[in-house]
């Protein structure tokens, strides 16, 4: 018997079928949204799929991917890719090697579950098909275009929001982890685009009367790009409108002097005319009469140094630091180690990884660079520096240390902020700027063991990176040359004693001297007496960094450091040192332990015996021996005139 459904039942069935179709379409759309790649160029090269970070292979694969992303939906010829990889000197097998790189990239995408082929072969090279994949560079350009359209329609508040969203996509310098002249040239062009967008955005914020909030940000930009006239002019205008006329004049004078010293020219008409307008209090540059359309944003400092790229190793230390971002109360970490071990690099790298989690911003101070006076002056300078980063005008900074500290604590109390205190010498320097809030954290780097923090903070004492990490760093910096000379690269890592600073200087020297083989540099570093001469390039000088650490020692500890340079071994016992150098054991142990405390010497863990053992980092022993040799020569030179004088007198007496 056939049963005919009622009209109501038929209507219900139709509604159910429609709902199933809607749900199906939504599921398809959801699957589509997750089934796409996210590419990042505005910072280190970044790739993500289904919320999973995809690790890209070696330097060549990264260059290939960067070139295709920079030209998304356009064919990039194999010759152009080869030029980027081998800097204009491709080998005969270049086409084959590029094809292998593309095949490896496709394999990497598939291994993470991505089904479609995004890299297409298209004569005379390859093409990255964008479709619906996310590329932060294209998102940046889209938001900028939208901001400009809103500006044309005089929708200023909405335009500033789009500009802010566009600039927030930048995670650092574009493609900063790619070593290629071709890619670096493209990155420079992107940096120029970013600067132009920053100036457009700043002009709108000035229209809205947000001059006070802009001063800290513009000051940092002017320091970074001192020849950028438009940015300097915007800083002068913000200072003038904030009632800081004298500072605006000083900004002009400093810029004028810099222009004359660097390029031999006076500033252009933009700065000259603004300078004249400020002198005359021209009504045209007064704050706009229009009311503010929205409340000014809370100052979120973010002026800490750029990330160190490439960064290798320190996985255990990074994991330990990760706990700071999630700690329930105020937390701190103390990073110590010898000169060149990478204390600052680790702190800054972790800060870049976690900056977004600290919604109150990141404050940074290099205490070695800015604080060199009495202890109270050091502490006041540090507090003032952070208050300026938080948007406090120079004229409003309290001169009294206690008053400045109270203001700093009030501004920080409700923030979740990260405070980076670099190159700290004493606890007194930083005691007033440790974050008071319940959600903030501090990272302190120091060559000293700051006793007030030991036991009350996470203490990370850095050692040289592992052999493999040292080699990986050299390969990432030098590229194919390191791959062609694996044995020499491993020897170079050991001659650098696996110190990150020494590894980077050596790599920089090789990059600047493409006609050198790695073995050539290894041969020169093999001679201890001249080894430190080859750890110099441009402004990078390992000897100068070691000298700065040495000069902070007391005279008696410095003398002990020099004397230990006479030992022909990197490891020695206290008894051996006293015997060879004719030292009192108790006094020698006190002075040597002082060297251990500042990481110029390492204590060697071992059985509980009377003869405590110590170890020099090889480069530190080389430096100590050099200092001792120079001291002996200086003493001989000073004694020589006296000996000559005595000899002349003896000859005169004999003659008479």
């Amino acid at each position: 018997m056939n049963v005919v459904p009622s009209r109501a039942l038929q209507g219900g069935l139709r509604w159910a079928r429609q709902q199933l179709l809607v749900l199906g379409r939504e599921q398809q759309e959801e699957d589509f949204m997750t089934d796409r790649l996210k590419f990042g160029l505005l910072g280190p090269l970044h790739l993500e799929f289904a919320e999973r970070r995809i690790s890209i292979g070696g330097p060549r694969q990264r260059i290939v991917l960067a070139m295709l992303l920079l030209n998304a939906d356009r064919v990039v010829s194999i010759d152009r890719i080869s030029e980027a990889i081998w800097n204009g000197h491709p080998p005969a097998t270049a086409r084959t090697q590029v094809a292998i790189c593309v095949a490896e990239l496709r394999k990497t995408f598939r291994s993470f579950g991505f089904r479609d082929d995004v890299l297409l072969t298209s004569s005379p090279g390859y093409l990255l098909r964008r479709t619906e994949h996310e590329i932060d560079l294209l998102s940046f350009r889209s938001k900028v275009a939208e901001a400009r359209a809103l500006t044309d329609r005089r929708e200023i508040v909405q335009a500033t929001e789009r500009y802010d969203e566009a600039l927030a996509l930048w995670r650092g310098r574009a493609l900063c982890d790619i070593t290629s002249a071709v890619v670096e040239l493209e990155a420079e062009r992107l940096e120029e685009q970013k600067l132009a967008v920053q100036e457009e955005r700043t002009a709108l914020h000035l229209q809205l009367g947000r001059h006070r909030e802009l001063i800290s940000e513009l000051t940092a930009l002017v320091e970074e790009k001192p020849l950028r006239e438009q940015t300097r002019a915007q800083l002068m205008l913000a200072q003038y409108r904030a009632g800081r006329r004298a500072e605006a004049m000083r900004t002009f004078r400093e810029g004028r002097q810099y222009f004359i010293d660097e390029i031999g020219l006076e500033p252009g008409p933009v700065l000259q005319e603004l300078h004249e307008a400020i002198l005359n209090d021209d009504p045209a540059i007064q704050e706009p009469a229009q009311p503010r359309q929205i409340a000014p944003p809370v100052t979120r400092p973010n002026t800490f140094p750029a990330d160190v790229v490439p960064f290798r190793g320190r996985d255990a230390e990074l994991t330990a630091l990760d706990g700071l971002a999630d700690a329930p109360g105020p937390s701190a970490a103390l990073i110590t180690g010898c000169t060149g071990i990478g204390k600052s690099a680790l702190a800054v790298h972790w800060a870049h990884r976690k900056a977004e989690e600290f919604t109150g911003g990141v404050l940074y101070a290099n205490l070695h660079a800015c604080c060199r006076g009495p202890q109270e002056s050091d502490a006041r300078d540090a507090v003032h520096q952070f208050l300026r980063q938080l948007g406090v005008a120079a004229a409003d900074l309290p001169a009294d240390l206690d008053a400045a500290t109270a203001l700093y604590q009030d501004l920080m109390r409700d923030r979740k902020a990260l405070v980076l205190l670099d190159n700290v010498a004493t606890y007194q320097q930083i005691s007033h700027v440790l974050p008071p809030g319940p959600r903030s954290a501090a990272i302190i780097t120091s060559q000293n063991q700051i006793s007030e923090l030991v036991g009350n903070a996470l203490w990370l004492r850095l050692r040289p990176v592992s052999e493999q990490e040292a080699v990986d760093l050299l390969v990432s910096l030098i590229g194919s040359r390191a791959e062609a000379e694996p044995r020499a690269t491993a020897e170079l890592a050991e001659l650098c004693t696996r110190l990150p600073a020494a590894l980077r200087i050596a790599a920089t020297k090789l990059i600047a001297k493409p006609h050198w083989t790695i073995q050539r540099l290894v041969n020169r570093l093999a001679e201890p007496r001249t080894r430190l001469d080859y750890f110099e390039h441009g402004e990078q000088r390992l000897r100068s960094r070691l000298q700065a650490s040495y000069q902070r020692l007391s005279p008696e500890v410095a003398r002990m450091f020099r004397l230990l340079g006479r030992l022909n071994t990197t490891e020695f016992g206290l008894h051996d040192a006293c015997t060879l150098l004719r030292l009192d054991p108790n006094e020698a142990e006190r002075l040597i332990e002082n060297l251990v405390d500042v990481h110029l010497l390492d204590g060697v863990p071992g059985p509980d015996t009377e003869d405590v053992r110590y170890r020099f980092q090889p480069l530190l022993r080389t430096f100590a021996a050099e200092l001792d040799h120079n001291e002996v020569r200086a003493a001989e030179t000073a004694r020589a005139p006296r000996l000559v004088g005595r000899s002349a007198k003896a000859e005169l007496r004999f003659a008479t």
Side-chain angles (χ1 to χ4, degrees):
M1 183 177 77
N2 294 327
V3 179
V4 179
S6 68
R7 187 171 299 175
L9 181 57
Q10 289 176 348
L13 290 171
R14 282 197 300 273
W15 179 86
R17 283 195 295 270
Q18 290 171 355
Q19 290 300 109
L20 288 172
L21 289 171
V22 169
L23 290 172
R25 283 197 299 270
E26 289 178 349
Q27 183 62 46
Q28 287 177 346
E29 290 173 359
E30 182 177 300
D31 291 343
F32 175 76
M33 292 296 290
T34 58
D35 195 18
R36 64 179 179 178
L37 294 163
K38 294 182 180 180
F39 297 98
L41 293 83
L42 306 181
L45 185 61
H46 178 87
L47 178 56
E48 185 179 308
F49 175 63
E51 298 183 350
R52 295 169 62 198
R53 176 78 176 270
I54 297 179
S55 178
I56 307 165
R60 295 176 187 172
Q61 292 180 33
R62 300 174 70 83
I63 292 173
V64 170
L65 183 57
M67 290 294 293
L68 295 175
L69 284 170
L70 287 166
N71 300 276
D73 287 331
R74 290 181 295 178
V75 176
V76 184
S77 70
I78 294 177
D79 290 341
R80 183 62 172 163
I81 295 173
S82 300
E83 181 184 359
I85 296 175
W86 289 283
N87 291 321
H89 302 284
T93 58
R95 300 181 70 85
T96 302
Q97 293 191 46
V98 170
I100 291 172
C101 288
V102 172
E104 288 296 325
L105 286 170
R106 290 168 174 164
K107 181 179 178 182
T108 299
F109 296 167
R110 288 194 295 271
S111 67
F112 278 79
F114 185 74
R115 298 184 294 272
D116 296 335
D117 194 354
V118 68
L119 302 182
L120 305 180
T121 302
S122 181
S123 182
Y126 298 95
L127 175 147
L128 186 143
R129 184 179 57 182
R130 184 195 178 189
T131 59
E132 294 299 321
H133 302 304
E134 287 187 25
I135 302 176
D136 59 2
L137 172 59
L138 300 183
S139 299
F140 168 77
R141 289 172 175 166
S142 174
K143 289 181 181 295
V144 169
E146 187 177 352
R148 288 169 177 164
L150 289 166
T151 303
D152 292 340
R153 297 198 298 268
R154 306 303 302 161
E155 297 177 23
I156 305 301
V157 174
Q158 293 84 347
T160 59
E161 292 172 355
R162 293 298 175 275
Y163 275 124
D164 290 342
E165 291 170 6
L167 290 169
L169 294 171
W170 286 74
R171 296 168 288 111
R173 190 171 182 82
L175 296 170
C176 54
D177 57 344
I178 303 293
T179 303
S180 163
V182 173
V183 175
E184 287 167 6
L185 180 61
E186 293 294 331
E188 285 292 335
R189 291 171 179 160
L190 294 179
E191 188 69 19
E192 183 64 26
Q193 292 177 26
K194 177 188 176 184
L195 289 170
V197 169
Q198 285 175 322
E199 290 171 353
E200 293 173 17
R201 167 209 178 248
T202 300
L204 296 185
H205 280 291
L206 285 169
Q207 285 187 38
L208 296 175
R210 298 170 182 167
H211 36 266
R212 292 184 182 276
E213 295 82 11
L214 289 168
I215 289 175
S216 176
E217 173 186 326
L218 287 171
T219 299
L221 283 173
V222 166
E223 290 176 355
E224 182 181 354
K225 301 287 184 182
L227 292 174
R228 193 86 182 180
E229 291 195 51
Q230 187 63 39
T231 304
R232 187 176 292 273
Q234 289 175 333
L235 173 59
M236 289 171 59
L237 184 59
Q239 290 170 328
Y240 175 75
R241 288 182 176 176
R244 295 154 68 169
R245 193 167 182 261
E247 289 184 39
M249 292 293 95
R250 185 167 63 248
T251 299
F252 175 81
R253 289 194 304 272
E254 291 172 354
R256 179 177 181 272
Q257 190 61 51
Y258 195 91
F259 273 67
I260 293 172
D261 292 343
E262 291 297 315
I263 60 176
L265 296 174
E266 290 281 346
V270 172
L271 285 175
Q272 297 278 13
E273 291 170 8
L274 179 59
H275 176 247
E276 189 71 22
I278 291 174
L279 285 174
N280 297 322
D281 287 318
D282 190 335
I285 62 171
Q286 302 295 327
E287 181 177 354
Q290 63 197 43
R292 297 188 182 186
Q293 301 183 42
I294 58 171
V298 176
T299 302
R300 186 177 186 270
N302 194 31
T303 57
F304 59 110
D307 197 1
V308 178
V309 291
F311 187 91
R312 294 292 183 271
R314 307 299 187 202
D315 292 340
E317 289 83 358
L318 289 169
T319 300
L321 288 171
D322 284 345
L324 296 182
D326 305 320
S331 53
L334 171 63
I335 303 175
T336 62
C338 70
T339 299
I341 200 71
K343 302 181 291 293
S344 301
L346 172 62
V348 169
H349 180 70
W350 185 81
H352 277 276
R353 286 190 4 160
K354 295 291 183 178
E356 292 303 317
E357 297 183 29
F358 289 96
T359 54
V362 179
L363 291 86
Y364 172 83
N366 185 340
L367 278 300
H368 175 60
C370 69
C371 303
R372 296 174 181 171
Q375 288 186 357
E376 183 171 337
S377 176
D378 280 2
R380 185 170 54 248
D381 288 347
V383 178
H384 281 180
Q385 184 169 348
F386 282 163
L387 286 174
R388 286 194 294 270
Q389 292 180 30
L390 290 167
V392 178
D396 299 332
L397 296 174
D400 179 70
L401 175 59
D402 291 338
T405 303
L407 176 58
Y408 170 74
Q409 291 179 343
D410 285 343
L411 292 173
M412 290 287 289
R413 200 172 307 281
D414 297 325
R415 291 173 179 259
K416 182 178 182 181
L418 176 62
V419 177
L420 292 182
L421 297 158
D422 206 7
N423 293 309
V424 175
T426 67
Y427 181 74
Q428 286 70 30
Q429 279 184 315
I430 62 172
S431 60
H432 297 272
V433 291
L434 292 174
R439 299 178 297 159
S440 296
I443 297 182
I444 302 99
T445 74
S446 177
Q447 196 168 330
N448 302 332
Q449 297 178 5
I450 301 179
S451 57
E452 293 87 348
L453 292 174
V454 174
N456 297 314
L458 171 67
W459 185 16
L460 300 176
R461 183 172 181 175
L462 300 188
R463 304 291 184 186
V465 297
S466 70
E467 295 178 16
Q468 188 58 52
E469 289 167 346
V471 170
D472 288 345
L473 179 57
L474 288 173
V475 170
S476 63
L477 289 167
I478 304 171
S480 58
R481 292 163 69 188
E483 296 172 356
E485 296 183 76
R487 180 176 296 179
T489 301
E491 291 181 27
L492 178 58
E494 288 306 312
L495 286 168
C496 293
T497 62
R498 307 196 305 279
L499 287 180
L503 290 164
R504 290 182 181 278
I505 294 172
T508 301
K509 183 176 285 291
L510 286 169
I511 292 170
K513 297 181 180 295
H515 57 290
W516 278 26
T517 63
I518 298 175
Q519 188 62 51
R520 181 184 178 92
L521 179 57
V522 167
N523 294 341
R524 276 145 185 76
L525 292 175
E527 173 51 56
R529 289 177 298 178
T530 58
R531 182 171 297 160
L532 291 176
D533 294 337
Y534 289 92
F535 283 112
E536 293 186 3
H537 188 78
E539 295 183 358
Q540 300 182 66
R541 295 180 177 88
L542 184 61
R543 182 186 279 111
S544 299
R545 298 177 66 170
L546 296 173
Q547 187 73 29
S549 299
Y550 169 74
Q551 289 175 344
R552 289 194 290 268
L553 301 175
S554 66
E556 56 180 359
V557 177
R559 177 177 177 273
M560 173 58 73
F561 182 70
R562 294 195 305 270
L563 289 175
L564 291 174
R566 298 180 182 179
L567 301 177
N568 293 322
T569 178
T570 56
E571 185 172 323
F572 59 90
L574 179 62
H575 176 75
D576 297 333
C578 294
T579 301
L580 292 171
L581 302 176
R582 300 178 182 178
L583 301 172
D584 173 74
N586 293 328
E587 180 68 5
E589 183 174 23
R590 181 180 71 83
L591 297 175
I592 289 174
E593 288 294 334
N594 278 334
L595 292 171
V596 173
D597 290 341
V598 295
H599 302 282
L600 290 175
L601 205 62
D602 292 329
V604 179
D608 187 14
T609 63
E610 284 298 317
D611 188 24
V612 182
R613 298 194 65 77
Y614 301 95
R615 181 184 297 126
F616 257 128
Q617 292 288 351
L619 286 176
L620 288 174
R621 196 195 75 80
T622 300
F623 179 62
E626 181 181 279
L627 289 172
D628 182 65
H629 177 70
N630 293 340
E631 187 78 11
V632 170
R633 288 187 61 184
E636 290 175 349
T637 302
R639 192 165 55 247
R642 294 197 297 270
L643 294 175
V644 171
R646 290 173 187 170
S647 176
K649 289 178 181 178
E651 290 179 7
L652 181 62
R653 285 196 302 269
F654 180 77
T656 57

